[in-house]
Amino acid sequence: DARPETTTELRFPAGFRWGTATAAYQIEGAATEDGRTPSIWDTFCRTPGKVRNGDSGDIAADHYHRMREDVALMKQLGVTDYRFSVAWPRVQPTGRGPAVQKGLDFYRRLTDELLGAGIRPVATLYHWDLPQELEDAGGWPQRETAGRFGDYARIMADALGDRVATWTTLNEPWCAAFLGYGSGVHAPGRTSATASLRAAHHFNLAHGLAAQVLHGALPSTSEISLTLNLHAVRPLTGSEADVDAARRIDAVGNRIFLDPVFHGRIPQDLVRDTAAVTDWAFVQDGDLEVISTPIDSLGINYYSPTVVGAGSSAAPSPWAGAEEHVRFLPAPGPRTAMDWPVDADGLYELLTRLRDDLPGVPLVITENGAAYDDYADPSGEVHDPERVEYLRAHLSAVHRAIGAGADVRGYFLWSLLDNFEWAYGYSKRFGIVHVDFATQRRTFKDSARWYGDVIARGGLTG
Ligand code: GBH
């Protein structure tokens, strides 16, 4: 029986995967080394006014040069798994054609180092850094980009298939499509509802093409997955109008990916809601068959819930077709440094909903964590008590969901290191390891020591 015992000691099932997560552009730096070309994020960072303080990932946490040290930190923490992403413009600079060996070599060295440390590598193929040349050719609203992604997946399967067993195609296509092409707060900074819906479909298609390629190229024991930032959406009241607002956000935030991938269909209410924006003619015969290629698990990134009511939202909005019908309300309670509400029940709600909607699909928390300001005491120790409380509450919620029958196989803490937090630059710190960006010195925060204890004990005290 793999079920945990429920005592005051919250034990997780044997074999539960305890990890940390990062993404290439947020930590690697070395933006022009060894043949790497610009991605849409390099370009976005150079566009005045887009990223706080004009920050960029040019140097970031310099992980490209400090990879061994960072793996050693994880070994010290005792993590079983490490989730990283591959920078597409490092391994296939134009997004087309042959691979660059030096770029591939970095990921070969990284995965060798991990395996040597007894840590399972979990590779994500796309965490938002599209080669700029592919954006110049139309980017994700353009169907061709999905085909290019399939080719890139093949390069990576050939290069790392002998040492990486767990693969994620995309990280958070919702953010990439709707923040990138709808509200424009992420790269490439376009603001078109139509483009964002086209991008979302092409992300689904890219995922399906890559899943097919990976199935064909990898050993049959490999695990192929997709990571979504699902919205734990709640209506403000039980009124029909508020409940319908929540339905709209569930459609364009969650089911736009879940339904094609797991059920081979486009949600019909979404097609109705977005009729003024697009006729969906970009969906071609056979697409849904490709998109619904069976995968082995679903990755979930969760930070906070979303409370909505009937009303309208500011433009430009990421909520294609819903912006004139939905307003977003501040959830009550404490906030992180991102001003995101701390609400672990949202994670429980999400996991039990997926237990019911996707029976038989193993779930993995591929990101959870919080930004807080930490402080160093005179001895140099770095304290982050709010983060420890946030993590404790969310891990308790995961434990409770497992007890209620959700098949959760692992938890990846976001993030290992303080890093480049996208449009917020270096102003927000998500790491359990403090990075002094002037010296690149790494220091465990209290939360790192706490997480190491949780891993060593296989659980926490509830
Ligand atoms: C993740 O994005 C990323 O994968 C990771 O790279 C990043 O560093 C980390 O989280 C922290 O930000 O847009 O109105 O729905 C999470 C992005 C944050 C998107 C919360 C949705 C809610 C407000 N998500 N956000 S809304």
Side-chain angles (χ1 to χ4, degrees):
D1 189 356
R3 291 293 173 77
E5 287 169 35
T6 310
T7 60
T8 47
E9 190 66 14
L10 305 181
R11 287 206 175 286
F12 283 72
F16 193 77
R17 297 163 73 158
W18 297 100
T20 54
T22 64
Y25 191 69
Q26 296 182 270
I27 63 165
E28 283 181 1
T32 57
E33 267 174 67
D34 294 338
R36 181 185 175 289
T37 55
S39 77
I40 55 175
W41 270 96
D42 296 281
T43 306
F44 194 68
C45 290
R46 276 162 187 67
T47 311
K50 297 297 186 189
V51 174
R52 203 174 276 193
N53 301 319
D55 289 341
S56 79
D58 284 356
I59 300 171
D62 196 32
H63 172 75
Y64 193 73
H65 301 116
R66 292 164 199 269
M67 174 273 282
R68 292 213 156 78
E69 181 188 350
D70 294 338
V71 173
L73 291 171
M74 285 188 274
K75 187 175 182 185
Q76 232 179 303
L77 285 174
V79 301
T80 63
D81 290 63
Y82 171 54
R83 174 177 181 257
F84 64 95
S85 80
V86 176
W88 189 351
R90 206 181 273 298
V91 302
Q92 197 192 27
T94 63
R96 294 188 174 86
V100 165
Q101 289 309 313
K102 281 188 172 174
L104 292 175
D105 284 344
F106 172 70
Y107 298 104
R108 291 193 182 107
R109 288 198 303 278
L110 167 63
T111 47
D112 282 348
E113 192 75 13
L114 288 164
L115 293 168
I119 299 168
R120 255 186 308 246
V122 175
T124 296
L125 291 177
Y126 189 77
H127 200 126
W128 307 354
D129 42 0
L130 184 71
Q132 181 61 42
E133 279 205 35
L134 292 185
E135 175 59 26
D136 295 343
W140 289 104
Q142 178 68 34
R143 185 179 176 90
E144 177 65 9
T145 304
R148 300 283 64 79
F149 185 73
D151 293 351
Y152 157 61
R154 174 84 217 194
I155 289 174
M156 294 315 303
D158 289 345
L160 301 183
D162 59 345
R163 63 196 92 189
V164 176
T166 309
W167 295 74
T168 300
T169 55
L170 306 173
N171 176 72
E172 300 191 349
W174 185 85
C175 289
F178 293 100
L179 303 181
Y181 294 90
S183 65
V185 301
H186 280 187
R190 286 163 66 179
T191 52
S192 157
T194 310
S196 67
L197 288 166
R198 293 175 62 93
H201 177 65
H202 296 141
F203 274 118
N204 280 334
L205 186 59
H207 159 76
L209 290 170
Q212 287 186 334
V213 163
L214 295 175
H215 273 303
L218 297 173
S220 61
T221 48
S222 306
E223 181 189 341
I224 298 162
S225 188
L226 163 71
T227 281
L228 300 175
N229 62 305
L230 293 172
H231 302 263
V233 54
R234 298 180 188 142
L236 179 64
T237 73
S239 76
E240 212 179 295
D242 287 352
V243 170
D244 195 58
R247 176 199 59 74
R248 284 174 181 272
I249 295 310
D250 186 49
V252 73
N254 298 330
R255 286 183 282 114
I256 188 172
F257 301 108
L258 291 172
D259 280 19
V261 169
F262 291 102
H263 306 299
R265 62 173 187 237
I266 310 269
Q268 284 312 298
D269 59 334
L270 175 65
V271 173
R272 278 195 305 278
D273 292 348
T274 56
V277 181
T278 177
D279 58 6
W280 291 76
F282 48 79
V283 181
Q284 297 185 5
D285 283 353
D287 283 3
L288 288 163
E289 223 170 276
V290 173
I291 294 168
S292 59
T293 300
I295 54 174
D296 304 297
S297 63
L298 174 65
I300 300 146
N301 293 354
Y302 175 83
Y303 291 89
S304 55
T306 306
V307 180
V308 299
S312 65
S313 323
S317 158
W319 301 104
E323 64 272 57
E324 284 161 25
H325 303 272
V326 182
R327 73 193 162 111
F328 292 81
L329 296 128
R335 302 295 180 107
T336 70
M338 299 295 281
D339 208 30
W340 297 346
V342 179
D343 188 328
D345 289 342
L347 180 53
Y348 177 84
E349 290 161 19
L350 203 52
L351 292 172
T352 49
R353 175 236 176 125
L354 295 168
R355 170 201 66 194
D356 298 339
D357 287 2
L358 302 177
V361 178
L363 307 173
V364 177
I365 312 294
T366 39
E367 287 181 28
N368 176 243
Y372 284 109
D373 300 323
D374 48 45
Y375 65 99
D377 70 21
S379 73
E381 291 205 349
V382 183
H383 304 300
D384 58 343
E386 298 105 324
R387 179 173 291 105
V388 171
E389 274 323 298
Y390 179 99
L391 296 172
R392 186 195 301 282
H394 287 76
L395 273 174
S396 301
V398 175
H399 186 269
R400 195 153 51 93
I402 293 172
D407 186 9
V408 185
R409 304 289 179 90
Y411 176 91
F412 290 73
L413 199 162
W414 184 273
S415 185
L416 174 67
L417 303 170
D418 289 336
N419 61 50
F420 173 78
E421 177 50 30
W422 307 114
Y424 294 85
Y426 297 97
S427 69
K428 304 293 176 199
R429 293 177 175 272
F430 274 89
I432 55 172
V433 174
H434 178 89
V435 177
D436 176 343
F437 291 105
T439 62
Q440 294 294 347
R441 183 160 173 236
R442 275 91 161 120
T443 310
F444 279 135
K445 303 180 189 182
D446 287 346
S447 55
R449 278 182 285 274
W450 177 85
Y451 191 48
D453 281 353
V454 168
I455 297 169
R457 292 159 52 188
L460 61 157
T461 309

